[in-house]
Amino acid sequence: MSTWQGPPATCSTSPFVIEPTIDAVRRAGEDAAGRLRAAFTLDQLRELAAELLGKQGELAGVKRQLGSLAPDERRTVGQAVNESLALAQVAHDERRALLAAEARRQQLEAERLDLTEITSRPRRGHLHPVTQAWQRLEDVFIGLGFRVVEGPEVESDYYNFEALNMGPGHPARSMFDTLFVDYGEPGSTVLRTHTSPVQIRAMQTLTPPLYVVAPGRVFRRDTPDATHMPVFHQIEGLVVDKGIAFAHLAGTIQAFTEAFFGPGFNSRLRPSYFPFTEPSAEFDIQRPDGSWLELGGCGMVHPNVLRAGGIDPEEYSGFAFGIGIDRMAKEFNGVDDMRELFANDLRILEQF
Ligand code: PHE
């Protein structure tokens, strides 16, 4: 038997070094099998397997030394290494089967307990109050003969402002605090500040008579307070037909108010200004207790806006309105502060 010269350089990092003799190898194999059989958890077993059966293990270390042995020794010791590894592997596999079965049993047991703990059916959630208001608004307007259309939330300056009679530098742009998107020419793309751009898109794609509403999310660079959020929702209404007059607008607002809030509610129009309507108005609703609440803006579609939509103002006229959906939800549910609706506090949301 040749004298062992120490581990080859390649395994000098291994802290476990055994002599390349049949006895030492057999002992190492039995030792490994014993340790694997004693593993308490699957994690422990995995670590042990890496230590004992892996490339950095003792037995693998012996394999790397075989080259330095005499040929017949190389064969017998090599065989012993393979047998020891096989022995340890069998121990490992048996232990793993056992531990896995135990883990499964424990899991089933835990799940069984879980099931008995649940005594009532899981509660169903519901739509957010703003979504509820949105859907109710759609229902009411569909009932009044409108159809629902949509436009993009990321909008061009052209649709959001210019086509709505607000050219570059128009002072009325300051009514809409804008968030720009880094897309295309600098300043050419915005998060839409209102749903009014859908008026233009609807006129461009549909042929009159038009009776459409366009609900959606809008954005303004506003600081949140009790009645404002930087992200909020509007529903736009647009009617374009022959012989449409201001009285049709007032009648539609009143019909809508009664349909949405109930018969005790009234509406009124107050003179106002929007570049895209002429004349323009704000509309308020009156609660049964006599108090007023401002709900949105409206007016007769400006001839320039009809033209931008490809419609001849000599032939057609129309009216438009925009209602804040979040304010409707706030009002409808008697919430004092709009921020409450978006704080994701279930104690509040569950009430609606
Ligand atoms: N777009 C306006 C706003 O957001 C509301 C409006 C819509 C006014 C349609 C007139 C006509 O303030």
Side-chain angles (χ1 to χ4, degrees):
M1 191 199 276
S2 63
T3 19
W4 185 46
Q5 304 289 306
T10 49
C11 78
S12 62
T13 50
S14 171
F16 310 104
V17 176
I18 47 175
E19 265 183 282
T21 64
I22 296 180
D23 275 358
V25 164
R26 290 218 168 113
R27 239 180 292 119
E30 275 158 23
D31 187 46
R35 289 176 67 194
L36 289 162
R37 262 196 207 94
F40 206 66
T41 64
L42 280 169
D43 279 346
Q44 229 176 45
L45 185 69
R46 216 168 290 122
E47 274 172 33
L48 277 172
E51 179 190 324
L52 300 168
L53 304 172
K55 284 208 178 85
Q56 301 303 319
E58 306 170 313
L59 289 164
V62 176
K63 260 191 185 169
R64 280 192 292 271
Q65 299 163 38
L66 291 177
S68 60
L69 301 182
D72 57 335
E73 256 183 310
R74 191 181 303 156
R75 195 177 52 74
T76 51
V77 174
Q79 204 178 338
V81 169
N82 287 340
E83 282 167 9
S84 290
L85 278 172
L87 186 86
Q89 185 68 47
V90 168
H92 166 269
D93 293 351
E94 284 175 3
R95 189 64 185 162
R96 193 179 55 183
L98 209 92
L99 289 174
E102 174 61 12
R104 175 98 187 108
R105 194 192 62 73
Q106 279 180 11
Q107 188 190 352
L108 285 176
E109 178 73 7
E111 281 170 6
R112 188 184 71 78
L113 283 178
D114 264 355
L115 284 174
T116 58
E117 272 168 22
I118 297 170
T119 52
S120 59
R121 288 176 359 141
R123 276 176 312 153
R124 284 183 74 179
H126 61 69
L127 295 172
H128 189 275
V130 170
T131 312
Q132 291 176 27
W134 177 326
Q135 293 187 347
R136 255 179 67 84
L137 284 160
E138 280 186 8
D139 287 349
V140 167
F141 281 112
I142 288 170
L144 293 175
F146 287 72
R147 63 187 269 196
V148 179
V149 297
E150 277 184 15
E153 293 175 2
V154 178
E155 192 47 287
S156 66
D157 178 275
Y158 175 77
Y159 281 105
N160 197 82
F161 293 117
E162 207 166 330
L164 291 167
N165 209 23
M166 280 181 277
H170 194 293
R173 286 187 177 218
S174 61
M175 289 160 64
F176 307 95
D177 274 344
T178 313
L179 293 160
F180 287 96
V181 173
D182 186 8
Y183 180 81
E185 285 288 303
S188 67
T189 312
V190 299
L191 295 180
R192 66 176 177 190
T193 58
H194 50 180
T195 43
S196 297
V198 192
Q199 287 185 34
I200 308 290
R201 291 182 177 276
M203 286 189 274
Q204 286 178 348
T205 47
L206 306 168
T207 26
L210 291 180
Y211 292 81
V212 297
V213 284
R217 186 171 294 136
V218 301
F219 311 82
R220 287 188 201 170
R221 205 194 62 85
D222 278 349
T223 309
D225 65 24
T227 51
H228 293 88
M229 290 296 284
V231 178
F232 59 108
H233 306 82
Q234 292 184 331
I235 185 163
E236 191 83 8
L238 173 69
V239 168
V240 177
D241 205 343
K242 288 185 174 149
I244 294 293
F246 201 86
H248 296 118
L249 167 58
T252 303
I253 296 287
Q254 179 60 25
F256 155 76
T257 304
E258 284 174 33
F260 191 87
F261 288 102
F265 283 77
N266 237 317
S267 67
R268 75 174 173 197
L269 299 177
R270 268 182 300 120
S272 183
Y273 171 74
F274 297 99
F276 34 94
T277 44
E278 181 59 36
S280 304
E282 307 275 351
F283 72 90
D284 305 330
I285 57 156
Q286 189 177 32
R287 306 185 183 97
D289 70 1
S291 59
W292 293 96
L293 175 78
E294 180 187 321
L295 269 194
C298 59
M300 301 306 291
V301 181
H302 195 288
N304 288 349
V305 174
L306 288 172
R307 265 183 228 112
I311 289 172
D312 180 2
E314 300 297 329
E315 197 183 348
Y316 288 100
S317 58
F319 65 79
F321 54 86
I323 307 173
I325 300 180
D326 312 69
R327 288 203 183 160
M328 301 286 280
K330 174 181 176 300
E331 179 57 23
F332 202 72
N333 295 300
V335 176
D336 288 337
D337 190 323
M338 206 140 84
R339 288 168 291 191
E340 307 269 27
L341 290 175
F342 303 100
N344 267 350
D345 187 338
L346 284 183
R347 288 169 305 175
I348 290 177
L349 294 179
E350 272 173 351
Q351 298 173 49
F352 310 117

